[in-house]
Amino acid sequence: KRYGYPSIGIPGVVKGLTKALTEFGTQSRQNVMYPAIQLADKGHALITGEAIRQSRVNEQLQEFEGSRQHFLNPDNTSRVPGQWVVQKELAAVLQSIADEGPNVFYTGWIAEKMVADNQEKGGVLSMKALAEYKAMDSHIVKGSYRGYDLIGLWMPSFGAITIEALQVLEALSDDLSDNQEWGENIYHAIEAAYLDRYEQKTLDDAKRLTSKEWAEKRAAEIHNEQTFINWKSLPESFTEPMGHTTHLTVVDKNGMIVVLTQTVGTTMGSKVATPGLGFVYAQTLGGYLGEVKAGQRAASHISPIIVSKDGKPFLGLGAAGGSRIPSSIVAAISRIVDQGYGLEKAMAMPRVQPIENGLDIEFTGSDGFTLADSIYFSSMGHEVTVLRQQGRFGRIHAVMKDSVGTGWIGVADPDWEGSAAAPK
């Protein structure tokens, strides 16, 4: 099913984040979780974008007792931007994890509440499955783009596809200074790499898809007009332009970078919250992702990337945006490397996305694509759509070394709600 209890798999975020903290962190679990607990306990003003998202799935949220309790007003209306939201039940869940560790979520009282609710409503969660869940280290995929090293994550992330697209772009053209030619080449590189989304099965596939030889093969196919996507056969997640994803990029005083992307799937994920727990479950089984077999980890287009130069991190970024995550990252990296823009300008420049029968181009105001650009892309044989909606071409958060190489610049995508802050 596309949403509801049957679409809920094992939540992995608690073990994943606590594993990362234990192995690489420098602070205690209690210190790290304290700000989130305070926000839930004392309340916060609901941001506009989140209020809009929740309003768009109001009818689905009304179907489930816990979702009505935790995400709607008492009369089942959606919350409005700026409304003060207090999440006492979520605060209690977070406090238990802070005090007792991840096991309370997978074998303790939180697990018991999740399983009882899930099994009563037709879901597949069990105490045995939760207890056996392990957070795993992802295989790291690597590539390069015009002398910069690219580091990403293999499945269930789409790091290989993002690296492949950049390497195809490198094989297509040495000069991407012209904005129209840039758009055309980005389009072809993304479409070529997206042909391989179904081919991500083994580590041999990872090596092949991130090789220069494969990129050159795909580039040659583009020149010979042999690349095309069978749009009719794709699951919804392969074409969904939005999703409900959060990305965070952080760099510390020692230059350690964390690029973290998390998603619940489409807006509000499964649309289900268990009464008394206060969080929505991700949508990791069922029709949205296509076929998901037992034991698999639900894959998505999330693609945190670190770019380094001479062995040292230079740029860290990732994005929200459903199927447009890799294309947004490719666009930003190319704007910086190929066109020489600083991070803030690169993030504000318009992007492109291949769609069925054509090409989406982004309107971003004075620096956006023009009518002349639309005519140009049409002359290249595309059906062109110009989109003005916010957030339709990915929402990036990034940090980059400053021009003198001694500090870092942080930028949140101007196309959506987000923020960047210097260290205190």
Side-chain angles (χ1 to χ4, degrees):
K1 189 176 177 182
R2 191 174 175 277
Y3 70 96
Y5 283 89
S7 72
I8 299 170
I10 298 172
V13 65
V14 175
K15 276 196 174 177
L17 292 182
T18 52
K19 173 183 170 68
L21 179 64
T22 299
E23 296 182 2
F24 301 103
T26 58
Q27 297 190 39
S28 69
R29 190 172 58 247
Q30 290 83 353
N31 284 349
V32 169
M33 294 187 66
Y34 178 79
I37 295 168
Q38 289 299 296
L39 278 173
D41 185 54
K42 305 302 181 185
H44 58 92
L46 188 65
I47 62 174
T48 300
E50 193 62 25
I52 292 171
R53 288 178 189 273
Q54 294 180 16
S55 69
R56 287 175 176 168
V57 294
N58 177 275
E59 290 185 7
Q60 292 99 315
L61 294 176
Q62 287 189 44
E63 296 180 33
F64 309 107
E65 177 188 354
S67 303
R68 295 193 300 271
Q69 174 185 335
H70 295 298
F71 295 103
L72 298 177
N73 292 317
D75 63 355
N76 284 347
T77 58
S78 295
R79 293 164 175 161
V80 298
Q83 184 172 338
W84 197 254
V85 178
V86 177
Q87 299 167 285
K88 293 288 186 182
E89 295 87 354
L90 178 59
V93 167
L94 296 176
Q95 189 66 62
S96 288
I97 297 169
D99 292 340
E100 303 177 48
N103 285 344
V104 70
F105 189 89
Y106 293 93
T107 60
W109 71 269
I110 302 171
E112 291 170 355
K113 285 184 76 76
M114 288 194 294
V115 170
D117 178 48
N118 195 273
Q119 292 192 349
E120 180 185 343
K121 307 290 175 34
V124 297
L125 289 186
S126 68
M127 291 298 292
K128 182 176 184 293
L130 284 170
E132 292 177 349
Y133 181 81
K134 291 182 173 60
M136 308 292 289
D137 290 338
S138 174
H139 175 68
I140 302 298
V141 287
K142 297 181 179 180
S144 67
Y145 186 67
R146 305 196 198 279
Y148 292 86
D149 295 320
L150 307 170
I151 303 126
L153 298 177
W154 179 237
M155 297 290 277
S157 300
F158 273 24
I161 297 299
T162 303
I163 290 171
E164 179 186 354
L166 281 163
Q167 294 185 158
V168 171
L169 184 64
E170 182 178 32
L172 283 174
S173 177
D174 292 327
D175 183 6
L176 295 175
S177 57
D178 179 84
N179 208 37
Q180 291 179 344
E181 291 186 13
W182 178 89
E184 180 72 10
N185 281 281
I186 292 282
Y187 161 83
H188 283 301
I190 295 299
E191 185 177 48
Y194 276 17
L195 289 171
D196 294 315
R197 288 180 290 184
Y198 271 135
E199 306 304 316
Q200 302 177 92
K201 298 180 178 68
T202 69
L203 293 186
D204 285 340
D205 295 330
K207 183 177 180 180
R208 173 172 56 89
L209 298 180
T210 56
S211 69
K212 295 287 189 178
E213 292 79 11
W214 188 256
E216 290 166 2
K217 174 183 180 295
R218 284 298 193 206
E221 291 171 346
I222 292 167
H223 288 306
N224 293 321
E225 299 183 349
Q226 294 176 350
T227 59
F228 63 93
I229 294 173
N230 182 2
W231 294 91
K232 305 297 184 187
S233 67
L234 301 179
E236 183 182 353
S237 62
F238 277 28
T239 57
E240 174 63 40
M242 291 298 284
H244 204 155
T245 303
T246 301
H247 180 79
L248 173 71
T249 302
V250 178
V251 61
D252 69 11
K253 63 182 179 181
N254 299 315
M256 177 180 282
I257 293 181
V258 173
V259 281
L260 173 66
T261 316
Q262 301 173 94
T263 187
V264 294
T266 55
T267 300
M268 297 299 285
S270 66
K271 319 296 190 285
V272 174
T274 290
L277 293 184
F279 58 85
V280 69
Y281 293 98
Q283 175 189 39
T284 52
L285 304 174
Y288 168 69
L289 294 168
E291 183 182 5
V292 179
K293 298 178 181 178
Q296 282 186 331
R297 312 229 166 190
S300 77
H301 286 77
I302 63 174
S303 184
I305 293 285
I306 293 175
V307 182
S308 63
K309 183 72 169 177
D310 300 325
K312 296 181 180 179
F314 160 75
L315 172 68
L317 74 170
S323 64
R324 302 188 178 203
I325 290 173
S327 60
S328 66
I329 293 170
V330 168
I333 291 174
S334 178
R335 294 290 194 190
I336 292 166
V337 174
D338 294 313
Q339 298 183 337
Y341 289 112
L343 182 58
E344 186 171 3
K345 183 71 172 179
M347 298 266 276
M349 293 292 286
R351 302 164 192 162
V352 301
Q353 173 73 16
I355 58 171
E356 186 174 4
N357 298 324
L359 174 67
D360 272 355
I361 62 176
E362 184 179 20
F363 180 86
T364 58
S366 59
D367 291 321
F369 286 116
T370 66
L371 177 60
D373 296 317
S374 179
I375 294 171
Y376 168 80
F377 291 124
S378 295
S379 73
M380 300 298 289
H382 307 299
E383 292 183 17
V384 180
T385 305
V386 181
L387 288 180
R388 299 169 183 258
Q389 298 103 315
Q390 283 189 315
R392 294 286 291 189
F393 289 81
R395 302 171 295 284
I396 299 172
H397 286 78
V399 297
M400 189 174 84
K401 274 280 190 181
D402 62 23
S403 58
V404 294
T406 58
W408 293 86
I409 299 167
V411 176
D413 202 310
D415 203 25
W416 196 248
E417 294 171 313
S419 61
K424 297 180 180 178

